[in-house]
Amino acid sequence: GAVVSQHPSWVICKSGTSVKIECRSLDFQATTMFWYRQFPKQSLMLMATSNEGSKATYEQGVEKDKFLINHASLTLSTLTVTSAHPEDSSFYICSAARDRGLQETQYFGPGTRLLVL
Amino acid sequence: AQKITQTQPGMFVQEKEAVTLDCTYDTSDPSYGLFWYKQPSSGEMIFLIYQGSYDQQNATEGRYSLNFQKARKSANLVISASQLGDSAMYFCAMRVDFNKFYFGSGTKLNVKP
């Protein structure tokens, strides 16, 4: 099966610092990568979609200057939470799709738990 | 508008019995894909099963099957012979646009020994 890694799995940081989360597709090339945020006992909330070599498409209400997404290659996308604050504490999950067909599932990374003190 | 609805916040099932998790969807697009994912307490989302809008037959994957009723816009997940390891959150999702998946609110399944 397709494997997606995400690093780090846990991060604790002080308020005001920036945190970078990496998402890698290990055994396939991902045309599209997705970034989600999940609060406890809630569903996934799509933050943005990124396609390799182009700017990310952000969902309404997601600050693009706050959550910087870079999709540098077909196997790597990064999410940087800039000037993190306690309200940014959450579970962040990335996923990757091999192609754009509607039948193509997304493969998820294991997630990153961010705690901002 | 695209929407996925899961009306069961929580379900209980006895080990070895079958359970059905409900999912209804709303879209005006004729082409779409429907997916089910499992999220154990560890947090990782696991792909379970897929059903295409033009598929004539219900999808099956091992103990998982999808009861697809297109006219009713429902795509219920059936888990046969439940196991303790099936206890998890289950999410139904729809893809109508290559740039987006729409998720339901999820159903927490508890399998009792």
Side-chain angles (χ1 to χ4, degrees), chain A residues 4 32 34 36 38 41-44 46 49-51 57 59 91 93 97 99-111 113, chain B residues 6 31-35 37 39 41-47 50 52 89 91 93 95-106:
Chain A
V4 176
T32 308
F34 305 87
Y36 296 89
Q38 187 180 31
K41 300 186 179 182
Q42 292 188 24
S43 187
L44 280 69
L46 179 66
T49 303
S50 73
N51 294 289
T57 302
E59 292 299 297
F91 187 50
I93 311 174
D99 66 43
R100 298 179 178 181
L102 298 180
Q103 78 286 352
E104 182 64 25
T105 186
Q106 52 187 326
Y107 297 94
F108 288 87
R113 298 190 187 277
Chain B
Q6 292 180 254
S31 300
Y32 50 88
L34 297 162
F35 303 83
Y37 298 92
Q39 187 178 40
S41 56
S42 62
E44 185 164 2
M45 297 281 287
I46 303 166
F47 165 65
Y50 158 81
M89 281 290 289
F91 292 98
R95 190 176 194 184
V96 297
D97 176 329
F98 66 80
N99 262 346
K100 189 177 287 191
F101 284 77
Y102 297 86
F103 280 86
S105 55

Side-chain angles (χ1 to χ4, degrees), chain A residues 25-33 71 73-75 96-99:
Chain A
S25 56
L26 298 184
D27 52 0
F28 67 99
Q29 293 188 326
T31 54
T32 308
M33 286 186 165
H71 196 153
S73 73
L74 283 171
T75 59
R98 283 183 289 210
D99 66 43

